[in-house]
């Protein structure tokens, strides 16, 4: 667990290095960021899973065209609304920069033009592309949800996430479990009982199918039962 935690921390640092770098070495820093994903079994499995059926070409056509109603006809970079598709799109975009399918300088001029200043364009790119990319992954693989201190149910989700993180489950199953648990933590924080019930049900099914057992499953099942009685 400590080793994998360190690899994810490395990825987060590499994101910071991209954002803090000068444009002239940005290509190198993006390459190092992508290499940090490859060194982490968990991150590699996660991005492999979310890009497996992702139609990058269609996403490019939708997200990289002219903005409707813009009299200047300037292109604006937009992102898929779905969080996983947004992560997949940014990941594929970074891969295109790394393999030179897209030229970063030309891309900045086309989508992040800031009065001709490459510095300002790269700053805007970092804030709109790299920063949300880093934050989304950080939230996905954080060790505990924000509400863990005040809600017993959320604390269980945090504890379950730690157990999954340190378990011997294969990476694909870990990613599936973490996706459900992060969505469950978010639903608990928002007080959306119907979503909580659906996600608890899904997680308990996952546990049975994966042959997974932990001390958190019984309380989760009890919580699901209680919510069903209320809704």
């Amino acid at each position: 667990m400590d080793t994998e935690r360190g690899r994810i921390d490395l990825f987060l640092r590499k994101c910071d290095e991209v954002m803090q770098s000068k444009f002239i070495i940005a290509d190198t820093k993006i390459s190092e960021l992508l290499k940090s994903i490859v060194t982490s079994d968990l991150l590699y499995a996660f991005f492999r899973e979310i890009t497996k059926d992702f139609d990058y070409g269609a996403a490019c056509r939708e997200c990289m065209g002219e903005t409707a109603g813009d009299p200047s006809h300037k292109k604006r970079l937009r992102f898929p609304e779905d969080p996983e598709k947004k992560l997949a799109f940014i990941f594929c975009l970074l891969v295109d920069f790394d393999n030179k399918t897209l030229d970063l300088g030309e891309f900045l001029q086309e989508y992040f033009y800031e009065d001709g200043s490459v510095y300002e364009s790269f700053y805007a790119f970092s804030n709109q592309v790299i920063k949300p990319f880093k934050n989304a992954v950080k939230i996905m693989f954080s060790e505990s949800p924000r509400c863990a201190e005040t809600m017993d149910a959320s604390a269980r989700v945090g504890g379950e996430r730690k157990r999954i993180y340190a378990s011997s489950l294969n990476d694909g199953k870990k990613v599936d479990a973490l996706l459900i648990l992060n969505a469950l933590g978010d639903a608990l924080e928002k007080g959306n009982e119907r979503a909580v019930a659906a996600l608890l049900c899904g997680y308990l099914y996952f546990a049975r199918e994966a042959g997974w057992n932990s001390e958190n499953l019984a309380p989760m099942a009890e919580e699901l039962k209680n919510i069903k009685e209320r809704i």
Side-chain angles (χ1 to χ4, degrees):
M1 177 180 176
D2 291 340
T3 300
E4 193 58 42
R5 178 73 257 171
R7 289 169 180 165
I8 292 173
D9 286 343
L10 174 63
F11 163 82
L12 299 176
R13 289 198 302 273
K14 291 302 178 183
C15 287
D16 287 337
E17 288 179 13
V18 173
M19 291 187 285
Q20 295 164 6
S21 73
K22 303 291 186 181
F23 167 74
I24 194 171
I25 61 170
D27 284 344
T28 299
K29 293 301 180 181
I30 288 174
S31 180
E32 291 176 359
L33 187 161
L34 292 173
K35 287 176 182 176
S36 72
I37 292 174
V38 176
T39 63
S40 166
D41 292 340
L42 201 52
L43 285 177
Y44 181 79
F46 172 70
F47 282 105
R48 181 184 59 203
E49 183 66 23
I50 66 171
T51 58
K52 182 173 59 178
D53 299 316
F54 179 65
D55 191 339
Y56 178 53
C60 286
R61 291 189 293 273
E62 182 177 343
C63 299
M64 297 169 67
E66 292 182 358
T67 302
D70 186 349
S72 69
H73 300 290
K74 289 183 180 179
K75 290 185 176 180
R76 294 286 185 266
L77 185 66
R78 300 180 297 279
F79 296 105
E81 292 185 5
D82 180 86
E84 285 184 34
K85 290 182 179 179
K86 180 177 179 179
L87 276 174
F89 177 70
I90 294 176
F91 174 79
C92 292
L93 192 64
L94 295 178
V95 170
D96 270 357
F97 293 138
D98 189 42
N99 62 25
K100 308 305 180 185
T101 300
L102 287 176
D103 180 85
L104 180 59
E106 293 178 0
F107 182 85
L108 293 178
Q109 286 297 302
E110 193 165 11
Y111 293 98
F112 292 93
Y113 183 82
E114 298 287 341
D115 298 325
S117 169
V118 175
Y119 171 81
E120 292 296 336
S121 295
F122 184 65
Y123 179 80
F125 167 82
S126 295
N127 274 285
Q128 296 177 43
V129 179
I130 304 298
K131 187 175 182 179
F133 185 65
K134 171 197 170 182
N135 289 342
V137 172
K138 184 177 181 180
I139 291 170
M140 176 66 67
F141 295 101
S142 63
E143 292 190 357
S144 60
R146 284 175 292 175
C147 53
E149 294 181 358
T150 58
M151 295 178 64
D152 289 343
S154 292
R156 277 195 294 275
V157 171
E160 186 68 2
R161 187 189 285 125
K162 289 181 181 180
R163 283 178 170 272
I164 288 289
Y165 197 75
S167 75
S168 59
L169 287 173
N170 66 51
D171 292 329
K173 289 180 179 178
K174 282 187 180 182
V175 168
D176 290 344
L178 289 169
L179 287 171
I180 298 172
L181 290 170
N182 277 282
L184 179 56
D186 185 56
L188 283 165
E189 187 173 353
K190 293 177 179 177
N192 187 337
E193 283 203 323
R194 290 185 180 276
V196 170
L199 289 162
L200 281 171
C201 185
Y203 188 74
L204 292 170
Y205 272 112
F206 160 82
R208 284 195 289 272
E209 290 297 316
W212 169 251
N213 190 30
S214 86
E215 63 184 17
N216 295 307
L217 296 182
M220 285 180 166
E222 184 64 24
E223 179 65 16
L224 176 59
K225 177 183 175 182
N226 292 337
I227 294 176
K228 282 181 176 179
E229 292 175 353
R230 292 196 295 271
I231 62 177

